[in-house]
Amino acid sequence: MRSVDSAGAAEVPEPGLPLTDDAPQGAREEPAAAEAAGTPDRKAKKKARCPGLGLFYTLLSAFLFSVGSLFVKKVQDVHAVEISAFRCVFQMLVVIPCLIYRKTGFIGPKGQRIFLLLRGVLGSTAMILLYYAFQATSLADATVITFSSPVFTSIFAWIFLKEKYSPWDALFTAFTITGVILIVRPPFLFGASAAGTDESYSVHLKGTFAAVAHAVFAAVTMVIIRKMGKSVDYFLSIWYYVVLGLLESVIVLFIIGEWSLPYCGLDRLFLILIGLFGLGGQVFLTKALQIEKASPVAIMRTMDVVFAFIFQIIFFNDMPTWWTVGGALCVVASSTGAAIRKWCQSSK
């Protein structure tokens, strides 16, 4: 459910976390203001007293995001697109007061509106695909594949933003592709006995393709957000995301005829909890990025995969296959390696 620029807003967790050590705007302004006023930076002292607080926030964020994904998996009687619509409504209730308070308007800078529209459409599409992947395939498989997003982000940033793409990035890409192949297990490579040819494998295949598509759309969204930079308020970016996401969800539901209120009170509770845990996860992830460098945060985010495996075993009695474990190791190694490399570069 995986982009972060400011505190206090909830968004789908986009695993394509920008591997950059630029601090959020608020984190930069406060030390500058303190220095100009000739007063000590209290937040720096607080960070010195709690050196692991940022990583703890990241771990808590990963847990909350994973619980939200668990609820998405539990809500099987509600279509993924409808879950997305409810999520957009929930986020809209949070974002509107923030936009009014910050007086940023609801349209955005003239030169950035096309990027805001693209960000809204692609981001909401990624959200729908993610929820469908959670419902169609195992929680662990879908979570692992979404962590391939940073690799796609590097490729698209190289193509559209002219950022450097090194041989290390190519190696991490190869690891990610290998991990995805191990999870998908195409019959032409593994044979019918390893992949399975029944209806369950067909659904699994659709879910994995949806997860890969989510990773691609999330990566493009991340590149668009990088392109806009700080010229667009984060809440305004979220506003386009929820408005266009709600519009897209309603149109798709009208076309496929899947709109229906949840029959069970438990499903309604799950829909509310999906929004609440997504909001909590986003807030703690933002707080982590404000006091900790992005690279170690990106490494700690891989705990999402661990939580997904645990929840899948406990709540669904579904033991992951060795293919999934191997694929998870490849994808996590790729994501962790990219984060460590960026961390080392920024430390020089």
Side-chain angles (χ1 to χ4, degrees), residues 232-270:
V232 176
D233 189 273
Y234 178 66
F235 287 101
L236 185 62
S237 175
I238 301 293
W239 169 250
Y240 271 81
Y241 166 76
V242 296
V243 170
L244 294 177
L246 180 59
L247 180 62
E248 180 180 352
S249 298
V250 170
I251 293 174
V252 173
L253 286 171
F254 178 78
I255 293 174
I256 64 179
E258 289 287 347
W259 175 264
S260 63
L261 289 176
Y263 296 107
C264 176
L266 194 59
D267 282 347
R268 299 175 187 179
L269 176 61
F270 285 158

Side-chain angles (χ1 to χ4, degrees), residues 7-136:
E11 189 175 0
V12 170
E14 296 171 352
L17 191 66
L19 295 179
T20 174
D21 293 323
D22 293 338
Q25 187 173 2
R28 284 181 166 185
E29 291 175 352
E30 290 168 356
E35 183 179 353
T39 59
D41 184 2
R42 295 180 180 178
K43 290 200 172 184
K45 289 184 177 180
K46 184 177 180 180
K47 179 183 177 183
R49 288 195 299 265
C50 303
L53 186 60
L55 297 181
F56 173 75
Y57 283 155
T58 308
L59 180 64
L60 186 56
S61 169
F63 176 77
L64 294 176
F65 278 139
S66 298
V67 174
S69 303
L70 172 65
F71 288 137
V72 174
K73 183 71 174 177
K74 282 286 189 180
V75 183
Q76 291 289 346
D77 295 332
V78 181
H79 197 279
V81 181
E82 188 172 349
I83 298 177
S84 303
F86 278 107
R87 175 72 181 271
C88 288
V89 171
F90 180 86
Q91 289 182 316
M92 193 178 296
L93 296 177
V94 176
V95 172
I96 289 178
C98 295
L99 287 175
I100 295 174
Y101 175 77
R102 296 166 72 90
K103 299 179 181 180
T104 59
F106 293 85
I107 300 178
K110 188 175 181 180
Q112 301 290 346
R113 291 172 189 170
I114 182 63
F115 294 113
L116 286 167
L117 288 171
L118 288 173
R119 182 265 181 277
V121 173
L122 296 176
S124 57
T125 302
M127 173 180 59
I128 293 173
L129 290 168
L130 177 66
Y131 287 170
Y132 178 80
F134 282 140
Q135 290 188 335

